[in-house]
Amino acid sequence: MRLKLIVAYDGSSFAGWQSQRGGGSIQDALEVAVQAVTGGPVRVHGSGRTDAGVHAVGQCCHIDVTNTRMTPDNWIHALNTKLPHQIRILSAESVDDGFHARFSATGKMYRYHVYCGAVLPPMEYQRAWLVREPMDLSRVKQAGSQFVGRHDFAGFSANRGGPVIDSHRTIRKLTVTTRGRSLYFSVVGDGFLYKMVRMIAGALVDCGRGVLEPEKIQAILDGTAKKSNQVAPAGGLTLVKVLYGPPSGHT
């Protein structure tokens, strides 16, 4: 039986999603929990990586299990009793063997949180990027609109250690919202390069505080201006949802 799992986690104390030789990743913790339930090793297949310190409220993964007597609700309870408190299975469902958490995905939704003020409230520690300078929201929105569409995002990505065959990606939607002193960037795209969302967030903040002109965004995308080097801290980033089905649907 193939189970599709929706996972939430506080990534502050983990080495990212992907399994590490020395352990310490979200995937490692999930595989330990699954093995504790099944009695044998089971590979956890994720929709993709999140970096160390990045959070999730809607990461998706799948596992193949032989125990078909347990219902999806049984699996949620059993796994959550074995997982550290920073990781929780939110939902589980039986899916067709043709479903793959990574290869069936048609997009992802991320949210970045910026806190504008002199002091970061303790409850926002490792949840938001503290920006003390005044932010011009109109400049942020002007810059954000230039990311929408299909572009070469080489100028907004970092080197993971190997060449990227194709650095073109499509951003379907980028919204900028505020709530009190909090500023949120929500980004929906068909895929993301290494640190791409964090570098987009860094550029938006630089535009808002007058360090970068909004018009420069298009020049960086075109390759006529030098690459952006502002990487927003990992703690402000959350994977909200992995999208499946038609590109226009958020399912």
Side-chain angles (χ1 to χ4, degrees), residues 91-121:
S91 70
E93 63 175 305
S94 176
V95 292
D96 185 89
D97 287 349
F99 172 85
H100 193 286
R102 177 183 174 189
F103 300 119
S104 299
T106 57
K108 292 180 181 176
M109 178 188 300
Y110 283 94
R111 180 179 63 240
Y112 197 90
H113 181 193
V114 175
Y115 188 85
C116 304
V119 178
L120 183 69

Side-chain angles (χ1 to χ4, degrees), residues 28-212:
D28 292 324
L30 285 166
E31 290 183 351
V32 168
V34 175
Q35 181 166 349
V37 175
T38 63
V42 175
R43 187 66 171 171
V44 173
H45 300 270
S47 70
R49 305 176 184 182
T50 52
D51 299 336
V54 174
H55 316 295
V57 294
Q59 172 67 287
C60 181
C61 63
H62 79 261
I63 56 175
D64 292 319
V65 294
T66 56
N67 186 341
T68 58
R69 292 174 298 173
M70 290 176 63
T71 67
D73 284 345
N74 292 153
W75 279 102
I76 294 172
H77 176 73
L79 292 174
N80 282 339
T81 60
K82 305 296 184 183
L83 285 166
H85 67 272
Q86 302 100 320
I87 307 173
R88 282 294 175 265
I89 308 298
L90 300 184
S91 70
E93 63 175 305
S94 176
V95 292
D96 185 89
D97 287 349
F99 172 85
H100 193 286
R102 177 183 174 189
F103 300 119
S104 299
T106 57
K108 292 180 181 176
M109 178 188 300
Y110 283 94
R111 180 179 63 240
Y112 197 90
H113 181 193
V114 175
Y115 188 85
C116 304
V119 178
L120 183 69
M123 295 302 291
E124 302 294 355
Y125 176 65
Q126 295 185 326
R127 297 286 186 282
W129 178 13
L130 176 65
V131 175
R132 294 185 174 89
E133 299 94 330
M135 295 280 286
D136 185 330
L137 197 58
S138 65
R139 288 171 58 94
V140 174
K141 291 183 176 180
Q142 181 186 349
S145 66
Q146 296 178 62
F147 287 109
V148 178
R150 188 160 185 82
H151 304 285
D152 184 348
F153 282 93
F156 292 95
S157 66
N159 187 343
R160 199 190 285 272
V164 175
I165 296 174
D166 183 5
S167 53
H168 288 79
R169 297 293 186 273
T170 300
I171 297 299
R172 304 178 202 162
K173 189 176 183 181
L174 192 156
T175 58
V176 179
T177 56
T178 59
R179 186 170 69 233
R181 290 187 175 274
S182 290
L183 179 61
Y184 298 96
F185 310 138
S186 294
V187 187
V188 179
D190 64 354
F192 297 90
L193 302 168
Y194 182 44
K195 295 188 178 180
M196 177 175 153
V197 180
R198 290 167 60 190
M199 293 182 79
I200 289 174
L204 292 176
V205 167
D206 276 355
C207 288
R209 57 189 175 185
V211 176
L212 181 69

